[in-house]
Amino acid sequence: MTYTMWQTIYNKANNQTTREEIDELLSSLEDGICNLTDDEIIIKVGRYIPSQGCEGAVHGYLEMLAAVSPFRTNITHNLLVIALQPIYYMGFEETERLCQYIAAVAREGRNLNNSQQKVLADLATQKTLIESAFTTMLKLEKLYQ
């Protein structure tokens, strides 16, 4: 998706992360020059809106998780909390269904390279992690509603 100047300004005015900032983050991680803390990365991803629709948002967040996790494995749980919110809004609540959905995104591979598909496929098998992240997301939903 191409972002216009006005979309970028709007995102910055609302303290949202732009696509350009996400691209810079991913490039800096890949190049080994990222100087952001784990919390700063989580905030940056959390303030990004990859799509106005839930399905597009899920794909966008899972794509970022798959791209970031190999470089910062310790924040996978928090990135998953962010990615699970739009899945929850789509009506998925059971751990098994969440795992199946993540596995389907991995198989589809839209905007994912082979290693990122593997990250998501492996993630889809980690039921305890997914359940923990989902529980955290539900607590945050109740807290901030």
Side-chain angles (χ1 to χ4, degrees), residues 42-89:
I42 294 163
I43 290 167
K44 190 172 284 286
V45 171
R47 289 183 176 166
Y48 178 61
I49 300 174
S51 174
Q52 295 296 322
C54 286
E55 186 175 352
V58 171
H59 280 263
Y61 288 132
L62 288 175
E63 289 163 10
M64 281 188 280
L65 184 152
V68 173
S69 287
F71 302 100
R72 301 282 180 101
T73 56
N74 54 317
I75 64 172
T76 300
H77 179 271
N78 289 323
L79 296 177
L80 184 56
V81 168
I82 295 165
L84 289 175
Q85 184 181 31
I87 298 175
Y88 171 65
Y89 291 160

Side-chain angles (χ1 to χ4, degrees), residues 71-128:
F71 302 100
R72 301 282 180 101
T73 56
N74 54 317
I75 64 172
T76 300
H77 179 271
N78 289 323
L79 296 177
L80 184 56
V81 168
I82 295 165
L84 289 175
Q85 184 181 31
I87 298 175
Y88 171 65
Y89 291 160
M90 291 170 54
F92 292 84
E93 295 185 30
E94 297 83 25
T95 303
E96 189 60 37
R97 290 191 66 212
L98 296 169
C99 293
Q100 291 169 354
Y101 194 88
I102 294 168
V105 171
R107 278 192 306 277
E108 184 180 319
R110 181 171 69 184
N111 300 319
L112 297 170
N113 63 34
N114 289 337
S115 64
Q116 292 167 342
Q117 282 182 285
K118 183 174 176 4
V119 167
L120 289 185
D122 291 345
L123 175 65
T125 67
Q126 297 180 40
K127 292 180 182 181
T128 303

